[in-house]
Amino acid sequence: MGPLSYEFETADRTRTLWDPALKVGKLYVSLARGAGELLELPTGLTPNERGGADVDISTFQAFTQGLYDTCCATRNVLMHDLLRGLLLASIVMLEKGGGTIVRKPDREAGLLDDRDAYVRRMWVED
């Protein structure tokens, strides 16, 4: 039997950022890859030999900031909604890895209202 989860770890493998079910992890990577191509930003996610992904935090931080800036700048409700779940999951992983984004609260319009719920759902024991 193959792996049951898709573990996201820091590139130096000192911290697990998220350990979702295999299909959830693969979907996240696919969505991130697509968004990265659209925004012309590398994701910082590198598949590893264990069936998960290593996350280069500095590159991933720039990617997550790009997602956030795009969500805050768009007036297109569908674009906003399509990117929102990816963004929230990315912010939780980024913060777990010690990174952060520069926020523009006056432009968020409730964008991060569900952040705490994502933190609880994505919780990984250190």
Side-chain angles (χ1 to χ4, degrees):
M1 189 156 97
L4 300 176
S5 68
Y6 195 102
E7 189 173 47
F8 293 88
E9 290 185 299
T10 53
D12 63 5
R13 299 187 180 168
T14 59
R15 176 171 276 182
T16 299
L17 305 175
W18 186 28
D19 192 14
L22 184 61
K23 286 184 180 181
V24 173
K26 286 183 174 184
L27 177 60
Y28 174 85
V29 169
S30 294
L31 294 171
R33 187 176 301 125
E37 289 174 13
L38 177 72
L39 301 176
E40 298 180 352
L41 290 170
T43 63
L45 304 172
T46 304
N48 61 39
E49 71 281 354
R50 294 175 322 283
D54 295 330
V55 182
D56 178 278
I57 293 297
S58 62
T59 304
F60 188 67
Q61 182 166 307
F63 167 73
T64 304
Q65 186 70 55
L67 286 175
Y68 176 83
D69 292 343
T70 300
C71 281
C72 286
T74 189
R75 292 176 188 239
N76 184 307
V77 175
L78 291 175
M79 173 74 113
H80 182 270
D81 288 350
L82 287 169
L83 289 175
R84 188 168 180 270
L86 177 64
L87 173 63
L88 288 168
S90 298
I91 288 172
V92 171
M93 280 200 293
L94 178 63
E95 290 174 347
K96 182 75 174 167
T100 188
I101 59 168
V102 176
R103 292 183 58 186
K104 301 170 190 165
D106 58 316
R107 306 279 322 265
E108 286 181 9
L111 179 63
L112 304 183
D113 285 352
D114 291 333
R115 184 195 155 280
D116 291 343
Y118 272 68
V119 169
R120 286 189 300 276
R121 290 179 191 131
M122 294 172 65
W123 181 76
V124 175
E125 190 173 321
D126 287 327

